[in-house]
Amino acid sequence: MDLSDLIEVPAIMPALKANSKKQLLQLLAERAAAISGIPEREVFDTILQRERLGSTGVGNGIAIPHGKLAGVKRITGVFARLETPVDFEALDDQPVDLVFLLLAPEGAGADHLKALSRIARVLRDTDTVAKIRGTRDASAIHALLSETPASHAA
Amino acid sequence: MEQAVYLITLVGTALVVAAAFSSLIAFRFGAPLLLLFLGIGLASGVDGLGIVFDNAHLAYFVGAIALAVILFDSGFGTPVGVLRQAGLPALTLATIGVGITTVIFGIAAYYLTGFTWLESFLLGAAVASTDAAAVFFLLRAGNINLRERVRSTLEIESGTNDPIAIFLTITLVEIIALGAKPDADLLLVDLVIGFFVQMTLGAAIGLLGGFVIVKLVERLNLDRGLLPIFVLTLSLLVFAMAGAVGGSGFLAVYLAGLVAGNSDIRAVSTLKRFQEGMSWLAQIIMFLVLGLFATPSQFPAIVVSALVLGLFLMFVARPIAVWLCLIPFNIPRQETAFISWVGLRGAVSILLAITPLLGGLENGRAIFNIAFIIVLTSLVIQGWTVGPLARRLGLIVPQRYGPLDKVELELPGSAHHELLAYKVVPGSPVAKGQRIPRWARPSLVVREGRSMRFADMGRLQAGDNVYIFVPDRYPRLLDRLFASRAEVDAEDEDFFGAFTVDQTHLAGELEAIYGATIKEEERKLSIGDLIKQRLRGHVEYADRVSLGPIDLIVRDVDDKGRIVAVGLSIEPAPPPPPVPVFLSGSEISQRIRRFFAKRPQKPATTQEPPTTSEGLSEDA
């Protein structure tokens, strides 16, 4: 699975400013709503509920909030690169500055998990992550996310 | 006379020093260190440098004392909690397991050597016990962080099986030495009665002795330098007393150590350090003496049969014994296989093989030589492969904490408080601002060479030295606060899963979000309880539970065994490599049921159930 299937350039926010986890989630939900046409509130509630189950901060400044929504037509991603990191209650206590939001339709099943693990893999590549942190260009970030890192070819 | 003193001391110390130096090499190359000690003994012996040492009585005497010292130390260092966790399977291995190994090995020995039945079983008994020192050393030196249950089982088994092997060997030597042709029935009855008498007496005196040691240490205000010597002497007294009244001295001394080590004894850290040193010395001396005692020029005569027997012991006798003993405990196959492979033979086996010589048996020398080769084979083959095998079977878990910089000091005049000196490591919770709990009394901080009161310090910084008074039964919490974060590499992330979930939430949520496979009645359970139930109540750090598309991993448990952190992996681990032979009890009953269920339709071709193994931590 290629990440370019789930995310398009307009879904990338290359220099987002947020003061808190909650505000960050709201901004992500807003953009997701704009792309998918689902009410912002629903998106926000879904991902917030998942955060209550446990933070999706996976460490090293990266978070992958996710959830399933009835109204979503296909697996949809939104990406944000933050100007200043915010606390995300991540396991390693490091503030987060790269966030990939993933929304999946109710019936997505295995594809949802496949997409999640693909995202986790791409964002585990230190090279890719460093390059994303170094740019403010949405299409550059899109290209980086869509690359298949040689070392982690999945 | 005086010359002799110098000469013997010179040679003796030179050997010990050489052995101590060789330990540096061994740590660097991961070679089985004990093999090196043995090698130095051999090289200096009659066929090497030419030191003639052929006194079986002296060799046995020295070895027995050394073993007593080692057993006391290993008992002293075994926490009772470990015993509770793995006691039953380990004790089964240590008793019945030794018996089964002896019998299976004895049968093979009978056909491969010219020995009589009794002599064959004697050889079997000598090599039936797993060597505590070898196992402990390998696990520690190899930096192998094993799953807890496997580790505890191995440690307790190897600590407790020596008395049984010793009993069997010595009894057999006595029977053979008497020259009588005993009835098989009578022999068995004698063995069983003798066994119970020896073990009961040994256990009683050992437990009692342990309590007395604790009380004496508490009462007598001995000089600090004298205390460890006093305790060591008392332990040998327990050993000797148990032996004198016909009990098993080795069991007694192990139990005395267990009691003393677990009962809040004064000056625990001093005692531990001293005993660790003594244990090393005993180990070195034992191997040196046994190496000196052996005569390699006699080996060619028996080397082929000894090698075959050694391999038979490793690949047939021990695995069968371990498998049979562990059937009732539903231990996953990977663990059973590993436990059977870590049946390392060591100095005790060689020591026991001296007893036939002491008893004046005709084949004594041949028995000793064969046992010697078997131990060598085991140390080389098993010793070198333990690490890779553990990794392959998925029994190694990532380190729980990173490095820790700590010194324990004992305070004169206060029996139950200790002074701990921690160096604050970068990345540790305290360096990040975590508070030190109130029951610990931080009194002094040394920063950049200047000492300050803790209250004036503000936040601790990396590099600070903190001195804390604590009651000596402090929980491990402090260590956790001062340890740096364990390095988590990508593989560990795979191991623990990318995400975390709160163990108090309902399991049903996992079904909603991830489509986890959860039974109707499990939805109402909390995630923690679900894991516990799936693992049948016994949860261990790094346990893994598969819920269909996702896996839950226990990231941490607290002192009471409650789950405190759970990881969620969306990439279920590949099943561990299948281990075909070692069926656990429930698997056997399953197969029998399946066999009978299928019979009516197809009696001729009973389909073999798939040999894929079950999840690591889940017993089917």
Side-chain angles (χ1 to χ4, degrees), chain B residues 249-380:
Chain B
F250 296 100
L251 181 66
V253 77
Y254 178 79
L255 288 176
L258 195 68
V259 170
N262 280 293
S263 53
D264 203 11
I265 197 170
R266 189 156 69 95
V268 138
S269 50
T270 314
L271 286 175
K272 268 206 179 122
R273 223 169 299 150
F274 177 78
Q275 276 160 19
E276 200 182 321
M278 287 309 291
S279 215
W280 268 108
L281 185 64
Q283 199 64 243
I284 292 177
I285 290 178
M286 188 140 113
F287 272 96
L288 281 178
V289 167
L290 296 174
L292 274 178
F293 182 73
T295 317
S297 57
Q298 298 170 345
F299 288 172
I302 47 89
V303 73
V304 176
S305 56
L307 278 178
V308 174
L309 280 173
L311 294 175
F312 179 81
L313 178 64
M314 265 181 261
F315 289 102
V316 184
R318 162 98 179 158
I320 292 179
V322 170
W323 172 60
L324 287 175
C325 286
L326 294 184
I327 283 179
F329 300 105
N330 267 326
I331 288 172
R333 285 188 217 174
Q334 287 78 19
E335 297 185 14
T336 310
F338 187 72
I339 290 171
S340 82
W341 188 246
V342 190
L344 279 133
R345 313 293 124 165
V348 178
S349 295
I350 306 181
L351 182 68
L352 286 178
I354 296 182
T355 53
L357 290 167
L358 296 179
L361 301 199
E362 194 188 333
N363 279 325
R365 201 69 211 190
I367 291 177
F368 176 81
N369 288 339
I370 292 180
F372 199 95
I373 301 265
I374 289 174
V375 171
L376 281 183
T377 325
S378 161
L379 281 177
V380 172

Side-chain angles (χ1 to χ4, degrees), chain A residues 49-50 52-60 64-68 91-93 106 109 112-113 116-117 120-121 124 152, chain B residues 432 485 490-491 493-494 498-503 505-506 509-515 527 549-550 555 565 568 570-571:
Chain A
Q49 206 188 345
R50 172 60 189 83
R52 287 208 188 102
L53 177 64
S55 171
T56 56
V58 295
N60 300 321
I64 314 175
H66 53 273
K68 278 189 191 166
L91 193 72
D92 62 353
D93 295 328
E106 278 297 349
H112 174 211
L113 298 179
L116 265 182
S117 89
R121 253 172 209 290
R124 198 184 287 170
H152 289 294
Chain B
K432 288 187 190 154
R485 184 167 287 283
E491 259 176 60
E493 204 177 305
D494 283 340
F499 300 106
T500 48
V501 288
D502 185 339
Q503 67 280 358
H505 277 243
L506 291 185
E509 285 185 51
L510 296 173
E511 193 180 16
I513 302 176
Y514 298 103
I527 291 171
I550 58 165
R555 277 183 181 237
L568 186 151
I570 39 182
E571 290 168 81

Side-chain angles (χ1 to χ4, degrees), chain A residues 25-47:
Chain A
L25 293 178
Q26 264 161 355
L27 291 168
L28 287 166
E30 197 181 302
R31 181 62 62 101
I35 292 168
S36 63
I38 302 162
E40 184 190 325
R41 189 78 218 163
E42 268 181 47
V43 178
F44 180 73
D45 286 348
T46 306
I47 53 179

Side-chain angles (χ1 to χ4, degrees), chain A residues 1-7 100 114-115 118-119 122 142-148 154:
Chain A
M1 181 178 293
D2 199 327
L3 289 194
S4 57
D5 295 345
L6 335 161
I7 190 161
F100 201 123
K114 241 185 241 163
R118 178 83 186 121
I119 296 165
V122 169
H142 187 259
L144 285 165
L145 287 174
S146 313
E147 253 173 40
T148 306

Side-chain angles (χ1 to χ4, degrees), chain B residues 106-163:
Chain B
I107 294 170
Y110 177 76
Y111 290 105
L112 275 168
T113 60
F115 299 158
T116 63
W117 275 113
L118 280 177
E119 283 167 338
S120 303
F121 287 130
L122 169 60
L123 179 60
V127 297
S129 81
T130 302
D131 195 71
V135 169
F136 279 82
F137 176 78
L138 260 178
L139 297 184
R140 214 176 300 160
N143 218 350
I144 302 172
N145 202 21
L146 278 183
R147 295 177 58 77
E148 265 172 50
R149 179 168 53 187
V150 184
R151 184 188 200 95
S152 312
T153 309
L154 280 169
E155 287 188 354
I156 299 172
E157 185 217 345
S158 59
T160 50
N161 66 6
D162 293 339

